[in-house]
Amino acid sequence: MSEPQQQFSRHCEAVLHHLRKTRPLDGYSIEKYVDNRGRHVYRLKRRNIPLYDDGFLDICLHKNQTIGVEVVTSDKQAARGTVLVESDGKPSTDNARINIQLSDCATISTGSAARSSSRGSTNSRTVPSASRTGRTPARAHDGQIGNEALVQYAALGVLGLIALKVLFSIINFLSILLLPFIYLYMASNCPEINSFDAKRELKRVLRGAHLPEENQPKGFFESGLNRIAASITTELATSLGYEVSMQDFLGAARLVSVKVPVAGHNYYWIGFFNRWKYIGHRDIESSKTD
């Protein structure tokens, strides 16, 4: 069943004819209805969405701009209205208010108006059919753009994974390639066995040389007392003897353990790159249990 054909003014027919010719895919249409004041007014729609909330007394084509007429003078010669569509066929963003002369607005002759109305009614019958299929030209275009974006994102994701795989392969290759050179460098810079002085290293540990800077003694006087206390404690702890054991790791590093029975601890250092690094201590009883 065809929809009832609405009777539009000659100005509205000219607007529809112009917009459908210049922007055929934008789906412009005009709705005629009775407002709450009992007036017959017109509302311009684009893809079935009103461009303006209020209705207008008429809709005119003035210098290729679509104007919604709000007020008409008593002599029907001039009017004041709102710009709905710019001259390029795109909806106005600011809806400027302008004054126009109705004689400057485009109109369509009776024959042309009939042909335009016929085309309009044909379009109005085909649009619901397209709506039922869900594939209007504008929606199809938007869907195509969305699919292209998804394809691009998927392609970027795949390229990213490939780049990460290549990067990890390069890192693994370089690590395998550089491993012998790293070993030779560590072996050539491994500290000698006789360079380890147990008492000296114990003094450094007891005075807190391995602690963070904020935990170090502040000031010359406090540092001096700390050094004296560390020296006395070291001499007392090692007075009854201590035991030094060393383990070599392929000549690249050495692990030293100093057992101090008086203190009840085993102290551990690791030697690499020509230096001895204190790594901690354990109780002698727990070491035996392990």
Side-chain angles (χ1 to χ4, degrees), residues 75-179:
D75 57 2
K76 308 294 185 182
Q77 297 298 318
R80 181 174 179 80
T82 301
V83 178
L84 301 177
V85 181
E86 301 291 349
S87 57
D88 58 359
K90 295 182 180 180
S92 176
T93 57
D94 56 0
N95 295 124
R97 302 290 181 87
I98 62 173
N99 295 322
I100 62 173
Q101 294 292 323
L102 293 177
S103 59
D104 295 335
C105 295
T107 59
I108 291 183
S109 63
T110 305
S112 299
R115 288 194 297 273
S116 177
S117 299
S118 176
R119 288 194 297 271
S121 62
T122 302
N123 290 336
S124 66
R125 288 194 296 270
T126 58
V127 167
S129 175
S131 299
R132 287 193 297 269
T133 60
R135 298 296 294 176
T136 62
R139 291 180 182 175
H141 181 66
D142 293 342
Q144 183 179 1
I145 293 177
N147 292 335
E148 290 178 356
L150 289 176
V151 171
Q152 291 177 357
Y153 292 146
L156 289 175
V158 172
L159 290 176
L161 292 176
I162 294 175
L164 288 175
K165 185 176 181 180
V166 172
L167 179 62
F168 287 142
S169 299
I170 293 174
I171 293 175
N172 289 335
F173 174 76
L174 290 177
S175 63
I176 295 174
L177 183 65
L178 295 176
L179 189 60

Side-chain angles (χ1 to χ4, degrees), residues 195-209:
S195 66
F196 181 80
D197 188 333
K199 284 190 175 182
R200 182 186 63 189
E201 296 297 334
L202 278 172
K203 288 179 183 179
R204 289 173 55 85
V205 171
L206 293 175
R207 74 168 184 261

Side-chain angles (χ1 to χ4, degrees), residues 48-63:
N48 210 30
I49 299 176
L51 296 184
Y52 205 81
D53 293 334
D54 299 331
F56 298 97
L57 299 177
D58 202 355
I59 300 177
C60 301
L61 182 64
H62 182 266
K63 297 180 181 179

Side-chain angles (χ1 to χ4, degrees), residues 128-275:
S129 175
S131 299
R132 287 193 297 269
T133 60
R135 298 296 294 176
T136 62
R139 291 180 182 175
H141 181 66
D142 293 342
Q144 183 179 1
I145 293 177
N147 292 335
E148 290 178 356
L150 289 176
V151 171
Q152 291 177 357
Y153 292 146
L156 289 175
V158 172
L159 290 176
L161 292 176
I162 294 175
L164 288 175
K165 185 176 181 180
V166 172
L167 179 62
F168 287 142
S169 299
I170 293 174
I171 293 175
N172 289 335
F173 174 76
L174 290 177
S175 63
I176 295 174
L177 183 65
L178 295 176
L179 189 60
F181 296 97
I182 296 174
Y183 169 75
L184 291 176
Y185 180 79
M186 292 184 66
S188 62
N189 289 277
C190 185
E192 298 292 337
I193 297 176
N194 55 10
S195 66
F196 181 80
D197 188 333
K199 284 190 175 182
R200 182 186 63 189
E201 296 297 334
L202 278 172
K203 288 179 183 179
R204 289 173 55 85
V205 171
L206 293 175
R207 74 168 184 261
H210 62 288
L211 297 176
E213 179 125 10
E214 57 269 16
N215 295 332
Q216 298 284 347
K218 302 296 189 296
F220 177 78
F221 184 73
E222 187 177 354
S223 299
L225 289 179
N226 186 60
R227 288 176 179 273
I228 293 174
S231 299
I232 295 175
T233 303
T234 301
E235 292 298 333
L236 291 176
T238 58
S239 60
L240 298 180
Y242 58 91
E243 179 181 346
V244 178
S245 60
M246 187 172 297
Q247 184 177 356
D248 187 89
F249 294 97
L250 300 177
R254 291 185 173 92
L255 179 66
V256 176
S257 172
V258 177
K259 181 179 180 181
V260 184
V262 174
H265 296 305
N266 274 329
Y267 297 89
Y268 299 93
W269 288 261
I270 186 169
F272 61 97
F273 295 143
N274 288 324
R275 60 191 295 257

